Amino acid sequence: MNSKIKKINQVLQGHKLLLASSSEPYVHFYHGGEINWRTAVGGVATAFDAFMSAYGGTWVALGLGTADANVIDNQNNISVPPNAPAYTLKRVMVTSKEEEGFLALSSNTALWPLSHVVYVRPQFSEDAWLQYRKVNQKLAEALSAECTQNTAVWLNDYHLSLCAQYFKKLQPNVPTGFFWHIPWPSYEIFKICPWHKEILEGLLGADLIGFHTQGYVKNFLYTVEKTLSCKVDWQNFNIQQGNRIIKVRALPIGTDSQGLSELSTAKSLDEINTVRKQFNVLNRKLLLGVDRMDYTKGLPEKMKSLDILFTRYPELVGKLTLVQIAAPTRTKLPEYVQVLENTLSAVDAVNWKYAQGDWKPIVFLNKFMSLKELIPVYKTADVCLVTSLHDGMNLVSKEYIAANSGEGALILSKFAGSAEQLTQAIQVNPFLVEDIAIGIKQALDMPVLERQKRMTKLKKTVMQNTVFGWATDFLQELIASKL
Ligand code: ADQ
């Protein structure tokens, strides 16, 4: 057993681990009459798959894939990863009405835009709220059915905000942790949600509530203080509700940095050259963006920054290419169609204005790429651009550092949670497109020694803050809350 898993075992003190999130790590779907599977895109699924594959246990999630119901056993379970089974995925099946309302209230139109200060107006509906409550209840019941005498439960993200309270009614003695993966906005913003009080009460069903930054912890505690009649202990970051103490902690998530670094080291010079040839950057700088195609990620701003860069520094025309890999997400929602259109028109405008011969400044790929395909690109990229308008943490920034050759530069939005830890990155304000352009110029002009020095420090930070360390810290706090 490797040391990181040994540590988690010690921390869990014999408790069986039950994890829950809305999205599942593996989705089964029909394609041409055949059943296929794919991995989920998104920070929560990526982070926990590495952890669960190493540790084992049971992961409870909604089965929303078209073929999900056809591959599970009579307990709704399936062993995953499909090509190397290591842990159990328990699928909770919901009706299409429940799915629609649940997703509307959580990721699609309400809690996601509300929590990210990106000026996409959240929309609320009573019916969506009812479905959201029902699905949270179903998840709580599925978790309860899996509990044995010594179980610890770890709930994840804003989709499951009522689940802890429902679950505790069924299993009052099971230590229950909750991690909120996106920003927690100010009280003034959160109270716009018509059910903000119920959501807070739901969350306080947990014994431990985690956020990525201390800023989100403070926003949360202030929201609780203003909304509920419970006492906030600002010194220890605890909430007292009756005779219960609920811990609220800043625990920044990491990546499987060692795994990424090892995969990257194994890439040969040939593979790096293949990436350079593929993107036509054999003698140019490769700038890279990897994001879900989401309006929070600042993609139109990133594309437009190249126009400003080339206007200010015409000598850079033909000298660099931005490769943006944007995974499709929530593609049926109008706001997502709109942000894709805005991004594509910004790409077209820049390419039309500056392309020369066989070179164009932006290669835009609206697709998902496997980690195997991403690693050599991360390794090769001279600059990685993360321009989120707001982001709970942002794992791409950490993946790039872990997999990069050691001479690259990271341009990072000040409004990504990871900006607190990654202080050696070039930090920019993506709301001012000129600032992104200035960041790119700074990265390109930076002497190699300076880049290496910064990258060495950044690598140290991501190696010391891995997904395994994060999970260990969270579970340690959780089990301690029971004692
Ligand atoms: P996300 O908003 O999904 O996560 P992020 O943390 O960057 O954002 O994670 C995205 C993940 O998807 C990364 O692992 C990345 O490699 C992968 N990905 C992105 N684009 C891809 C592509 N084109 N092809 C393949 N994979 C791609 C949420 C919060 C974040 C928080 C995480 C974890 O919004 O702020 O960091 O959860 O807590």
PDB file of all heavy atoms in Angstrom, residues 15 136 189 203 211 337 357 373 404 448:
ATOM      1  N   HIS A  15     -13.242   3.685   9.402  1.00  0.00           N
ATOM      2  CA  HIS A  15     -14.535   4.065   8.834  1.00  0.00           C
ATOM      3  C   HIS A  15     -14.569   3.725   7.346  1.00  0.00           C
ATOM      4  O   HIS A  15     -13.595   3.942   6.629  1.00  0.00           O
ATOM      5  CB  HIS A  15     -14.787   5.572   8.979  1.00  0.00           C
ATOM      6  CG  HIS A  15     -15.067   6.014  10.363  1.00  0.00           C
ATOM      7  ND1 HIS A  15     -14.077   6.177  11.300  1.00  0.00           N
ATOM      8  CD2 HIS A  15     -16.229   6.327  10.985  1.00  0.00           C
ATOM      9  CE1 HIS A  15     -14.612   6.572  12.430  1.00  0.00           C
ATOM     10  NE2 HIS A  15     -15.924   6.662  12.277  1.00  0.00           N
ATOM     11  N   ASN A 136     -32.242  15.658  -3.675  1.00  0.00           N
ATOM     12  CA  ASN A 136     -31.382  15.634  -2.480  1.00  0.00           C
ATOM     13  C   ASN A 136     -31.849  14.559  -1.498  1.00  0.00           C
ATOM     14  O   ASN A 136     -31.042  13.859  -0.888  1.00  0.00           O
ATOM     15  CB  ASN A 136     -31.358  17.013  -1.810  1.00  0.00           C
ATOM     16  CG  ASN A 136     -30.241  17.891  -2.337  1.00  0.00           C
ATOM     17  OD1 ASN A 136     -29.188  17.995  -1.738  1.00  0.00           O
ATOM     18  ND2 ASN A 136     -30.460  18.506  -3.494  1.00  0.00           N
ATOM     19  N   ILE A 189     -25.374  38.954  -1.965  1.00  0.00           N
ATOM     20  CA  ILE A 189     -25.674  38.197  -3.185  1.00  0.00           C
ATOM     21  C   ILE A 189     -26.401  36.899  -2.834  1.00  0.00           C
ATOM     22  O   ILE A 189     -27.413  36.562  -3.438  1.00  0.00           O
ATOM     23  CB  ILE A 189     -24.379  37.937  -3.983  1.00  0.00           C
ATOM     24  CG1 ILE A 189     -23.921  39.253  -4.585  1.00  0.00           C
ATOM     25  CG2 ILE A 189     -24.605  36.872  -5.071  1.00  0.00           C
ATOM     26  CD1 ILE A 189     -22.730  39.194  -5.459  1.00  0.00           C
ATOM     27  N   LEU A 203     -27.060  22.804   4.811  1.00  0.00           N
ATOM     28  CA  LEU A 203     -25.599  22.641   4.922  1.00  0.00           C
ATOM     29  C   LEU A 203     -25.188  22.384   6.367  1.00  0.00           C
ATOM     30  O   LEU A 203     -24.261  21.606   6.638  1.00  0.00           O
ATOM     31  CB  LEU A 203     -24.892  23.888   4.392  1.00  0.00           C
ATOM     32  CG  LEU A 203     -24.971  24.079   2.877  1.00  0.00           C
ATOM     33  CD1 LEU A 203     -24.485  25.471   2.479  1.00  0.00           C
ATOM     34  CD2 LEU A 203     -24.129  23.017   2.166  1.00  0.00           C
ATOM     35  N   PHE A 211     -14.335  24.904   2.261  1.00  0.00           N
ATOM     36  CA  PHE A 211     -14.264  25.796   1.096  1.00  0.00           C
ATOM     37  C   PHE A 211     -12.809  25.859   0.654  1.00  0.00           C
ATOM     38  O   PHE A 211     -11.911  25.506   1.409  1.00  0.00           O
ATOM     39  CB  PHE A 211     -14.731  27.213   1.471  1.00  0.00           C
ATOM     40  CG  PHE A 211     -16.192  27.280   1.840  1.00  0.00           C
ATOM     41  CD1 PHE A 211     -16.585  27.157   3.181  1.00  0.00           C
ATOM     42  CD2 PHE A 211     -17.169  27.451   0.885  1.00  0.00           C
ATOM     43  CE1 PHE A 211     -17.925  27.210   3.535  1.00  0.00           C
ATOM     44  CE2 PHE A 211     -18.513  27.504   1.227  1.00  0.00           C
ATOM     45  CZ  PHE A 211     -18.891  27.378   2.547  1.00  0.00           C
ATOM     46  N   VAL A 337     -24.672  28.716 -25.230  1.00  0.00           N
ATOM     47  CA  VAL A 337     -24.647  28.895 -26.686  1.00  0.00           C
ATOM     48  C   VAL A 337     -24.066  30.274 -26.978  1.00  0.00           C
ATOM     49  O   VAL A 337     -23.195  30.446 -27.835  1.00  0.00           O
ATOM     50  CB  VAL A 337     -26.083  28.765 -27.268  1.00  0.00           C
ATOM     51  CG1 VAL A 337     -26.104  29.087 -28.755  1.00  0.00           C
ATOM     52  CG2 VAL A 337     -26.645  27.373 -26.999  1.00  0.00           C
ATOM     53  N   GLY A 357      -0.136  33.291 -44.384  1.00  0.00           N
ATOM     54  CA  GLY A 357       0.334  32.004 -44.933  1.00  0.00           C
ATOM     55  C   GLY A 357      -0.332  30.834 -44.232  1.00  0.00           C
ATOM     56  O   GLY A 357      -1.555  30.796 -44.098  1.00  0.00           O
ATOM     57  N   GLU A 373      -3.916  12.743 -23.687  1.00  0.00           N
ATOM     58  CA  GLU A 373      -3.653  13.694 -24.772  1.00  0.00           C
ATOM     59  C   GLU A 373      -3.230  15.065 -24.232  1.00  0.00           C
ATOM     60  O   GLU A 373      -2.448  15.773 -24.859  1.00  0.00           O
ATOM     61  CB  GLU A 373      -4.923  13.903 -25.613  1.00  0.00           C
ATOM     62  CG  GLU A 373      -5.375  12.692 -26.398  1.00  0.00           C
ATOM     63  CD  GLU A 373      -6.767  12.920 -26.984  1.00  0.00           C
ATOM     64  OE1 GLU A 373      -7.741  13.046 -26.199  1.00  0.00           O
ATOM     65  OE2 GLU A 373      -6.879  12.983 -28.211  1.00  0.00           O
ATOM     66  N   ASN A 404       4.215  20.597 -16.611  1.00  0.00           N
ATOM     67  CA  ASN A 404       5.054  21.401 -17.510  1.00  0.00           C
ATOM     68  C   ASN A 404       6.531  21.035 -17.387  1.00  0.00           C
ATOM     69  O   ASN A 404       6.990  20.542 -16.365  1.00  0.00           O
ATOM     70  CB  ASN A 404       4.850  22.895 -17.222  1.00  0.00           C
ATOM     71  CG  ASN A 404       5.591  23.772 -18.215  1.00  0.00           C
ATOM     72  OD1 ASN A 404       6.565  24.440 -17.887  1.00  0.00           O
ATOM     73  ND2 ASN A 404       5.141  23.741 -19.449  1.00  0.00           N
ATOM     74  N   VAL A 448      14.671  33.344 -19.238  1.00  0.00           N
ATOM     75  CA  VAL A 448      14.459  31.921 -18.948  1.00  0.00           C
ATOM     76  C   VAL A 448      14.767  31.582 -17.482  1.00  0.00           C
ATOM     77  O   VAL A 448      14.042  30.806 -16.851  1.00  0.00           O
ATOM     78  CB  VAL A 448      15.231  31.029 -19.955  1.00  0.00           C
ATOM     79  CG1 VAL A 448      16.730  31.182 -19.803  1.00  0.00           C
ATOM     80  CG2 VAL A 448      14.820  29.582 -19.832  1.00  0.00           C
TER      81      VAL A 448
END
